[in-house]
Amino acid sequence: MDKQDIFGQIDGIEERMGTTYAELGALKKRIITLIEENKRLSIENQQLRKLIRQEETVVEEPTRDAEEPVQLPGAGYDNLTRLYNEGFHICNVYYGHLRTEGDCLFCLSFLNK
């Protein structure tokens, strides 16, 4: 083998590694999207189950008023805190996205208001 063949092989390997790296990056983004969607669907599923249980309770107890439950002040704050603790951003920059790198300063400053 001469030097040109060796350098040709190295160039080929570099090119394949670059392609593989790009594919790996795309796969990582897709996995993050799927994890976020899975978490969102899990939360939605829990909320729907909670609503079903509430409706079943109302049907079993017909003497109760059919009015909607009144949310206490601060319930929205509690919901945002719960979402943040479950791993989602609540800041206006990344709202609804999964937190993958620990705490978010924007979210924490929002919670501390």
Side-chain angles (χ1 to χ4, degrees):
M1 285 183 117
D2 65 344
K3 293 179 186 177
Q4 293 297 333
D5 290 338
I6 291 172
F7 285 118
Q9 285 182 330
I10 290 174
D11 286 340
I13 290 171
E14 282 181 332
E15 187 176 313
R16 287 192 305 264
M17 286 177 65
T19 304
T20 303
Y21 184 73
E23 289 175 2
L24 185 61
L27 184 60
K28 182 180 175 182
K29 288 180 182 179
R30 179 69 177 141
I31 287 172
I32 289 171
T33 303
L34 289 174
I35 289 171
E36 288 175 349
E37 182 180 7
N38 187 19
K39 188 68 173 177
R40 182 185 58 80
L41 290 173
S42 295
I43 291 171
E44 184 178 351
N45 192 8
Q46 289 173 351
Q47 291 173 345
L48 290 173
R49 288 177 191 267
K50 185 177 177 181
L51 285 173
I52 289 173
R53 277 189 235 116
Q54 287 176 351
E55 287 182 11
E56 288 174 351
T57 305
V58 170
V59 170
E60 290 174 4
E61 300 175 14
T63 57
R64 296 180 73 187
D65 292 332
E67 296 178 15
E68 293 198 19
V70 176
Q71 286 193 340
L72 300 174
Y77 178 82
D78 293 339
N79 287 336
L80 289 175
T81 304
R82 179 183 50 79
L83 283 174
Y84 183 77
N85 290 332
E86 288 177 357
F88 289 97
H89 283 278
I90 58 168
C91 60
N92 63 341
V93 180
Y94 301 109
Y95 183 81
H97 290 280
L98 191 63
R99 287 186 298 116
T100 57
E101 298 179 3
D103 289 332
C104 171
L105 294 178
F106 296 118
C107 293
L108 291 176
S109 68
F110 182 75
L111 286 175
N112 290 329
K113 285 186 179 180

